[in-house]
Amino acid sequence: MRRLPLRRLVTLATLAALGAATLGSTAACGDDSEGAGGNSGPVTLRLGYFPNITHAPAVVGVEKGIFAEKLGTNVKLDPKTFNAGPAAIEAVFSGALDATYIGPNPTVNAFSKSKGEAVRVISGAASGGVALVVKPGITGAQDLKGKKIATPQLGNTQDVAIRYWLKQQGLTTTKEGGGDVKIVPQENAQTIETFNSGAIDGAWVPEPFVSRLVNAGGKVLVDERDLWPDKKFVITNLLVSTKFLKAHPDVVQKLVDGQVAANEFVNTKPEEAQQAISDAIGKITGKPLDLKLIKQAWPTLEFTNDPISSSLKAGLDHAVDVGLTEPVDLKGLYDLKYLNNALKAQGKPEVVQP
């Protein structure tokens, strides 16, 4: 076998060493960007929320630049709006969304469908803001016999709430709209029209639709806050995809820092927050939400970082009781260490999960 000259051997050895160094450097960068730190390059955070009052911390956090400030220059915020929980969860499942503000029932469904793998709740956002509004002639539960009551969607959080409440009053409902009280699932915007036309006799809905129905001549028969301990129950929490959480825990911490800061703004500067919500909804939908309506609805809501996990579990039990879902083991759903880090940094009490 012919031997290579010494100079040629040195050249090959040098090239091999350089190649190995380059590969090592590339691998190290890849590890950083995909691993726990995620600090080697810009990260995009796709954040979902609904353009309504019950998602006020999200709306204000985006509109006032609070999230952008907390996330910093190395994280690009890509906000996306949704009108219904199932659509937001589908976006999380498909990989089109990294985190979203959402109600308790879609949260449970996402956790259940993924066998506890796909999502984690990392913070609360809002409590309250839901009521049963009826025609003036209805004065009690028994007056609802034979009446038609709207809810936003079959099996959604409010739909479960009214079916469970009616069962407690000795009244029956069915998924098909039968029973003592006819439950009519329909979009909230449609509910105002059907209430005015007399096609329905009331609705169990969230704000601002409670206030809209009251302004249309309805009256509040049941304020859902009165059905819960300390008048607290989760209406909106913040969840993140487990995949994103594992890849970018530092970004998740900054997101939760933003949530806590947004709630601080909402609670300490309510008038400025209300104006921001009106403006933001105008940009998103093309029509600003009436500021008077926001002010009317505001006292029924509490903006809290506590996800009130006990109410989510109770809501699941209620859904099982009325035959709308199967039991779900919720162990592992909550990961509140990021929230408690944020609260501790501000000298606030940590949230203790029961």
Side-chain angles (χ1 to χ4, degrees), residues 91-209:
V92 172
F93 280 175
S94 70
L97 205 60
D98 303 308
T100 188
Y101 285 82
I102 201 161
N105 203 61
T107 297
V108 171
N109 288 341
F111 191 73
S112 175
K113 286 180 180 178
S114 67
K115 299 187 182 343
E117 295 295 327
V119 297
R120 296 289 182 268
V121 173
I122 51 176
S123 177
S127 165
V130 181
L132 170 60
V133 183
V134 296
K135 296 289 186 180
I138 297 172
T139 60
Q142 294 307 312
D143 292 338
L144 295 172
K145 268 193 175 181
K147 299 293 193 292
K148 292 183 178 179
I149 303 297
T151 64
Q153 187 179 35
L154 176 63
N156 97 313
T157 306
Q158 287 79 50
D159 190 70
V160 168
I162 187 170
R163 291 174 191 273
Y164 182 77
W165 179 77
L166 288 170
K167 186 176 181 180
Q168 299 296 102
Q169 312 307 311
L171 298 169
T172 61
T173 62
T174 71
K175 295 179 186 178
E176 297 74 27
D180 294 328
V181 182
K182 321 298 182 186
I183 303 298
V184 186
Q186 58 188 228
E187 291 190 10
N188 289 329
Q190 182 187 356
T191 295
I192 309 301
E193 300 171 11
T194 53
F195 185 80
N196 284 330
S197 70
I200 61 170
D201 302 287
W204 193 296
V205 287
E207 288 287 10
F209 299 98

Side-chain angles (χ1 to χ4, degrees), residues 12-329:
L12 289 173
T14 303
L15 288 172
L18 286 171
T22 303
L23 286 171
S25 175
T26 303
C29 289
D31 288 344
D32 283 345
S33 62
E34 297 299 328
N39 295 320
S40 66
V43 175
T44 297
L45 170 64
R46 297 160 300 178
L47 177 66
Y49 65 99
F50 300 1
N52 63 35
I53 302 174
T54 57
H55 287 230
V59 178
V60 171
V62 171
E63 178 72 8
K64 303 300 288 186
I66 296 170
F67 289 133
E69 179 186 351
K70 293 295 183 181
L71 290 169
T73 56
N74 210 39
V75 180
K76 178 186 175 184
L77 178 65
D78 182 10
K80 300 175 183 292
T81 58
F82 295 84
N83 291 314
I89 291 300
E90 184 56 39
V92 172
F93 280 175
S94 70
L97 205 60
D98 303 308
T100 188
Y101 285 82
I102 201 161
N105 203 61
T107 297
V108 171
N109 288 341
F111 191 73
S112 175
K113 286 180 180 178
S114 67
K115 299 187 182 343
E117 295 295 327
V119 297
R120 296 289 182 268
V121 173
I122 51 176
S123 177
S127 165
V130 181
L132 170 60
V133 183
V134 296
K135 296 289 186 180
I138 297 172
T139 60
Q142 294 307 312
D143 292 338
L144 295 172
K145 268 193 175 181
K147 299 293 193 292
K148 292 183 178 179
I149 303 297
T151 64
Q153 187 179 35
L154 176 63
N156 97 313
T157 306
Q158 287 79 50
D159 190 70
V160 168
I162 187 170
R163 291 174 191 273
Y164 182 77
W165 179 77
L166 288 170
K167 186 176 181 180
Q168 299 296 102
Q169 312 307 311
L171 298 169
T172 61
T173 62
T174 71
K175 295 179 186 178
E176 297 74 27
D180 294 328
V181 182
K182 321 298 182 186
I183 303 298
V184 186
Q186 58 188 228
E187 291 190 10
N188 289 329
Q190 182 187 356
T191 295
I192 309 301
E193 300 171 11
T194 53
F195 185 80
N196 284 330
S197 70
I200 61 170
D201 302 287
W204 193 296
V205 287
E207 288 287 10
F209 299 98
V210 172
S211 294
R212 281 179 168 167
L213 288 170
V214 169
N215 294 346
K219 70 172 186 180
V220 173
L221 184 64
V222 180
D223 183 332
E224 193 175 339
R225 290 178 297 176
D226 295 334
L227 307 180
W228 294 93
D230 301 321
K231 295 183 177 290
K232 296 178 186 290
F233 66 98
V234 60
I235 184 66
T236 309
N237 51 215
L238 173 59
L239 64 76
V240 65
S241 82
T242 309
K243 182 178 179 181
F244 189 86
L245 177 62
K246 289 179 178 176
H248 304 290
D250 56 329
V251 177
V252 171
Q253 181 64 68
K254 292 173 182 177
L255 171 62
V256 177
D257 291 345
Q259 153 59 30
V260 172
N263 254 359
E264 182 74 13
F265 187 101
V266 166
N267 285 315
T268 59
K269 301 177 180 178
E271 291 187 0
E272 198 172 336
Q274 291 161 10
Q275 185 65 60
I277 291 167
S278 177
D279 294 343
I281 291 176
K283 292 176 186 176
I284 295 166
T285 67
K287 184 180 179 181
L289 187 60
D290 186 351
L291 196 56
K292 291 181 181 178
L293 195 66
I294 297 174
K295 291 181 181 296
Q296 181 180 346
W298 203 257
T300 70
L301 285 151
E302 179 183 353
F303 300 104
T304 173
N305 299 305
D306 187 344
I308 318 174
S309 59
S310 59
S311 71
L312 182 139
K313 174 63 168 64
L316 170 59
D317 292 341
H318 297 168
V320 172
D321 192 88
V322 297
L324 289 178
T325 191
E326 296 296 320
V328 179
D329 183 358

